Amino acid sequence: MTDMNAFKGMPRQAGKIMNLMMRMKKIQFCEICPELNPTEVMVLLHLCPPDRDWHWMPLCDLTAHLNMLPASMSRVMKSMEDQGLIFRTIDPNSRRNIIVEATDQGVELAKICRKRFRDYWEDVARRIPEEDWDSLLRILTECTDSMETVLKEYTENSD
């Protein structure tokens, strides 16, 4: 648990919320798929959404979706190619672009990871009554909206 002394002087609710946010940040969901590192999990889940029959994406789009630097993405792509999970090709419509496609092995691993995530969240959801989920989502939305608005006001006024 986080040292609550760090939040002394703040309203009681702020300290508790900050503590919970830090605890949630430490939860490593991607440990559900130990075959991959967290970035590799996210790459496969982006390439292989359940509502598409094709499993490719331009590298620039994938990099933007994952908010990564090109050099970092290049290292991830190399690792995933070495594992046989993806391959890269030049876009025939624009030779400047690279297409990243999941291999059959990558597609299968994405399905396994997606099922593990679904099972995990179903287990979490079963432990909390439905009406509590509705309240939690409503309150978190209000809290997040307020935090964003106040931060924007503070940063606009600091100029």
Side-chain angles (χ1 to χ4, degrees):
M1 184 170 244
T2 304
D3 179 11
M4 290 302 289
N5 287 329
F7 304 115
K8 277 200 170 162
M10 283 197 251
R12 176 183 55 85
Q13 302 89 338
K16 289 184 176 187
I17 288 170
M18 294 295 289
N19 189 24
L20 285 170
M21 287 169 53
M22 285 188 222
R23 282 181 55 203
M24 289 183 83
K25 185 177 179 181
K26 290 180 182 178
I27 297 171
Q28 298 295 316
F29 299 108
C30 291
E31 288 178 8
I32 292 169
C33 298
E35 304 89 342
L36 303 170
N37 71 43
T39 305
E40 293 168 344
V41 171
M42 295 310 297
V43 166
L44 282 183
L45 294 180
H46 274 78
L47 289 175
C48 307
D51 58 346
R52 275 197 336 225
D53 291 334
W54 44 275
H55 306 293
W56 59 270
M57 182 181 283
L59 180 58
C60 58
D61 291 354
L62 186 58
T63 303
H65 279 278
L66 296 175
N67 196 28
M68 292 183 68
L69 296 172
S72 298
M73 181 58 89
S74 182
R75 285 189 295 277
V76 171
M77 294 292 99
K78 172 79 171 100
S79 170
M80 293 181 77
E81 273 184 323
D82 291 348
Q83 295 174 69
L85 301 173
I86 58 121
F87 61 91
R88 293 179 276 185
T89 57
I90 295 173
D91 185 343
N93 299 320
S94 174
R95 298 196 48 79
R96 290 180 164 186
N97 295 328
I98 304 287
I99 300 294
V100 179
E101 186 168 354
T103 63
D104 290 343
Q105 178 185 351
V107 171
E108 286 309 307
L109 192 50
K111 287 178 185 176
I112 290 167
C113 289
R114 191 172 305 283
K115 182 182 181 326
R116 289 177 187 167
F117 280 114
R118 186 179 55 249
D119 293 347
Y120 171 84
W121 280 107
E122 285 175 356
D123 286 347
V124 170
R126 271 194 288 277
R127 296 167 190 236
I128 300 171
E130 186 68 30
E131 61 275 6
D132 288 351
W133 278 110
D134 295 339
S135 296
L136 174 65
L137 293 172
R138 180 185 54 75
I139 292 166
L140 282 175
T141 300
E142 288 177 22
C143 184
T144 303
D145 290 348
S146 294
M147 290 170 70
E148 289 171 344
T149 300
V150 171
L151 183 61
K152 183 177 179 185
E153 291 169 1
Y154 273 58
T155 56
E156 287 175 352
N157 292 333
S158 68
D159 296 334

